[in-house]
Amino acid sequence: MGLPYAPDDDHAADRFVNLALRNRDPEVWEELVSDAYVEQTERVLLGMLDRIAADRAHRRAERDAARARLSAGETSRAEYDREVADEGDRARKTAHFEALVREQHRLVAARVRRLRGEDVRDELMSLVVALGTAIDAHRTAVVAGGGEPRGADRALWERLSALDVPVASGRTSLEALVKDHTAAQDDHGRVLAGMLLDLAGDGSSVARADLLDVWKRTVAPTLTSQEKAEFAAKGKGSLVTDKLRKTLGVLERRGLVNRTDQSLELLDRPGLVELAAGRA
C-alpha cells in the first residue's frame, strides 16, 4: 500500500502514526515497521513519549499551583474540585494513549534492533562475557587450590586482559568487563539473599510470588528508564524479572537455594547469611 510520506518527513509521520495507534490496522503497521520506515517510526514514538512526560510534569506543576491557590484562599473548594476532576479525566486518557505508544514502541524497537544487528551483537557479547567468567573462575580455582598453573592455563588467563571488547563508553578489557559483571551479580545476590532470609523467617522455603513482589518493589527503582527501555526493545520481557531469574541462577549454582514450581527452598541458610552480609 505504501505510506503517504517520505522516511525523512517526521512531521507527517507523527500525524500518521498518531492515527495508526488508534486504528490498529495490521497492514498499516506492517508498512510502518518495514525496513524503510521502522527507524523513523521509532523516532516518532519516542517523541510522543517525550511529549507525554513533559505534559505530565506540566500538569503536576499545575496541580501544585492549584493547591497553593486553595491554601491561600485564592480559589474556592468547589472550583478546586472541578479542576481536580478535569485533571483526572485528562490523566486517564493520557495513560491509555501512553500504554498504546509503549506497546507499539516495544515491538518497533525490537525490529530496529534486528535491522541494525544489535540483537546478534548482544547475543555474542553475552557469550563473550560467559566465556570470560568461566576463564576467571578457572583461574580462581587453580590459584585457590595451590596447584602450579600450566603454560596453557597462563596463556588462557592472559587473554582476559589482552582481549578488549566494545562497551558503551568505548572499549575495555574482557577482564574489566567480567569484573563489573561479577560485581553487579554479587550486589543483586546480596539483596536477594537478604530478601529470602526475611521472607522465610524460621521457615525453610519462600513462595516465589511473594519474592517477586518484594524484588520488584526493591530493585525496580534502581534501574534507569533507559535500561528498562533498551531491555524491553529486545523483546525478552521485564528487566526486573530477568535480573531476578539470573540472580536466582547464581544462588542455585552455589547450592544456596532450589527452585520449584511455586516456591524456593533454602538449602544453605548459613551460606545465605554470609552472602547477605557481603562475606561470601
Side-chain angles (χ1 to χ4, degrees):
M1 55 171 282
L3 295 176
Y5 55 86
D8 60 352
D9 187 352
D10 286 9
H11 183 68
D14 186 88
R15 294 195 304 271
F16 190 88
V17 171
N18 199 309
L19 291 173
L21 284 166
R22 292 169 168 80
N23 297 333
R24 311 298 294 276
D25 185 330
E27 292 186 7
V28 169
W29 278 100
E30 278 302 312
E31 291 288 341
L32 286 169
V33 298
S34 64
D35 288 356
Y37 284 91
V38 66
E39 291 180 293
Q40 180 191 49
T41 301
E42 185 188 30
R43 286 198 307 272
V44 168
L45 291 171
L46 287 173
M48 289 179 176
L49 291 173
D50 287 343
R51 291 196 297 274
I52 289 171
D55 182 63
R56 181 176 291 118
H58 177 69
R59 292 201 311 270
R60 189 180 302 116
E62 286 185 333
R63 286 197 302 272
D64 292 342
R67 279 194 294 269
R69 289 195 301 273
L70 179 65
S71 298
E74 297 173 1
T75 187
S76 67
R77 167 60 68 175
E79 185 176 353
Y80 174 78
D81 289 344
R82 280 196 300 273
E83 290 182 10
V84 170
D86 290 343
E87 162 61 19
D89 289 339
R90 289 196 300 271
R92 282 189 291 273
K93 292 176 182 177
T94 299
H96 175 70
F97 182 67
E98 182 180 11
L100 292 177
V101 176
R102 290 194 180 280
E103 177 188 356
Q104 287 303 130
H105 177 256
R106 179 177 60 82
L107 300 173
V108 169
R111 294 285 285 264
V112 170
R113 290 181 63 80
R114 286 196 294 272
L115 179 65
R116 296 173 178 169
E118 292 176 358
D119 53 342
V120 176
R121 182 202 64 192
D122 289 346
E123 186 68 25
L124 290 174
M125 184 58 71
S126 295
L127 292 173
V128 169
V129 171
L131 177 60
T133 302
I135 294 173
D136 185 57
H138 171 259
R139 178 174 60 183
T140 300
V142 171
V143 172
E148 182 64 27
R150 297 170 299 173
D153 292 329
R154 295 187 184 280
L156 183 63
W157 300 345
E158 287 173 0
R159 301 308 298 166
L160 276 176
S161 56
L163 181 64
D164 71 324
V165 292
V167 293
S169 58
R171 301 187 73 85
T172 188
S173 70
L174 178 56
E175 186 170 30
L177 186 63
V178 168
K179 182 179 179 180
D180 291 344
H181 178 74
T182 302
Q185 280 195 331
D186 288 346
D187 286 342
H188 284 129
R190 283 191 288 272
V191 171
L192 181 56
M195 287 181 185
L196 290 169
L197 292 168
D198 288 342
L199 289 169
D202 295 330
S204 60
S205 66
V206 171
R208 294 180 66 168
D210 292 342
L211 174 63
L212 179 59
D213 181 58
V214 176
W215 177 267
K216 284 182 176 180
R217 285 190 277 111
T218 303
V219 175
T222 69
L223 305 174
T224 66
S225 298
Q226 182 178 355
E227 287 177 313
K228 295 175 185 177
E230 288 177 352
F231 187 83
K234 299 176 184 178
K236 296 182 179 180
S238 163
L239 177 58
V240 178
T241 53
D242 181 72
K243 288 190 176 296
L244 175 58
R245 178 181 60 79
K246 289 179 178 177
T247 308
L248 279 173
V250 172
L251 267 60
E252 278 190 308
R253 288 191 291 275
R254 293 187 183 184
L256 300 175
V257 299
N258 179 55
R259 273 183 278 196
T260 65
D261 288 342
Q262 301 297 327
S263 65
L264 289 157
E265 299 173 359
L266 277 58
L267 302 180
D268 182 358
R269 182 178 287 270
L272 287 169
V273 171
E274 289 285 310
L275 178 57
R279 297 192 295 268

